Amino acid sequence: MLAATACDGSKPLIRQDEKPMLFPAADRPVAHIVSARWSNEEARDRVNEAGEVMSKAGIAKGMTVADIGAGEGYYTIRLASRVGKDGRVLAEDIVASVRDTLAERVAREDLENVSVRLGTPDDPKLPDASFDRVLMVHMYHEIAQPYEFLWRLRPSLKPDGLVVVVDANRQTQNHGTPPALLRCEFEAVGYRQVSMSDMPSAGGYLATFRAVGPRPEPEAIKPCVLR
């Protein structure tokens, strides 16, 4: 159980001498969120999309997995089955109505190993040192502040944890991310690419990344400029 401590008003909530952290802007267009659904679930299951992605990502029984940009929960539901009763899935979306609809689905399907929460566009707000895998499927190109997002994501990974990105190999404004750009943005925040493979069943590729070394200071992050 988490204990809540009330503010007694004796100390300011924000120190006046603290400076806001400044992250570089991404030198690329950002795709607009157009739907909570990437494709029809039945069509995705016919090509075993989730099964292939989870296997390629090494997701197994007992793991703790975050599903970022969970939408209607296509992966959330299947992750819950894959990790089993001893595993955990945290499903997150930044749209409150989408989060609420997914929470209703999770409750309706009685998925006791799944929790649902609301994130923000620049911060997934995940608990520290908690996740074996963080999954982002067809949503990375919608992140307007990738350096800040990835910087704030890093502490949530376990020492051997991986970030798993599934996206299409096309320009960001066309709802994809070129693999070279993806790798550059991750490396700028101190991640190392572990794998990259074609994933036709998911409409693109699958890449995995591991955090290495110390997390850079925000002002030391050098933005990627790819032409």
Side-chain angles (χ1 to χ4, degrees), residues 76-188:
T76 299
I77 305 306
R78 289 152 183 82
L79 285 167
S81 177
R82 175 65 70 101
V83 302
K85 61 181 180 63
D86 294 325
R88 295 290 303 170
V89 177
L90 188 154
E92 182 181 284
D93 207 277
I94 64 171
V95 180
S97 59
V98 173
R99 182 274 315 269
D100 293 344
T101 299
L102 178 54
E104 292 174 1
R105 180 178 184 180
V106 168
R108 186 170 61 250
E109 300 194 21
D110 195 25
L111 301 177
E112 296 184 353
N113 62 344
V114 176
S115 56
V116 181
R117 69 160 51 181
L118 190 69
T120 63
D122 57 6
D123 187 354
K125 298 183 181 295
L126 301 178
D128 288 354
S130 299
F131 296 95
D132 299 288
R133 299 289 185 273
V134 174
L135 188 64
M136 297 191 287
V137 179
H138 289 291
M139 58 76 64
Y140 184 81
H141 50 265
E142 296 171 354
I143 300 174
Q145 299 290 338
Y147 303 110
E148 182 172 3
F149 184 92
L150 294 175
W151 191 88
R152 297 189 184 281
L153 173 66
R154 273 190 55 150
S156 71
L157 293 168
K158 293 181 179 180
D160 59 348
L162 296 175
V163 180
V164 181
V165 178
V166 175
D167 214 340
N169 184 3
R170 52 179 177 253
Q171 298 301 311
T172 53
Q173 66 267 33
N174 297 323
H175 293 274
T177 309
L181 176 62
L182 181 75
R183 179 175 180 174
C184 183
E185 290 185 346
F186 267 83
E187 288 183 346

Side-chain angles (χ1 to χ4, degrees), residues 38-61:
W38 178 71
S39 180
N40 176 275
E41 290 198 11
E42 292 75 18
R44 298 171 83 172
D45 278 345
R46 281 197 294 272
V47 294
N48 191 32
E49 177 191 332
E52 288 192 358
V53 167
M54 290 187 294
S55 294
K56 186 76 72 173
I59 296 172
K61 296 290 184 185

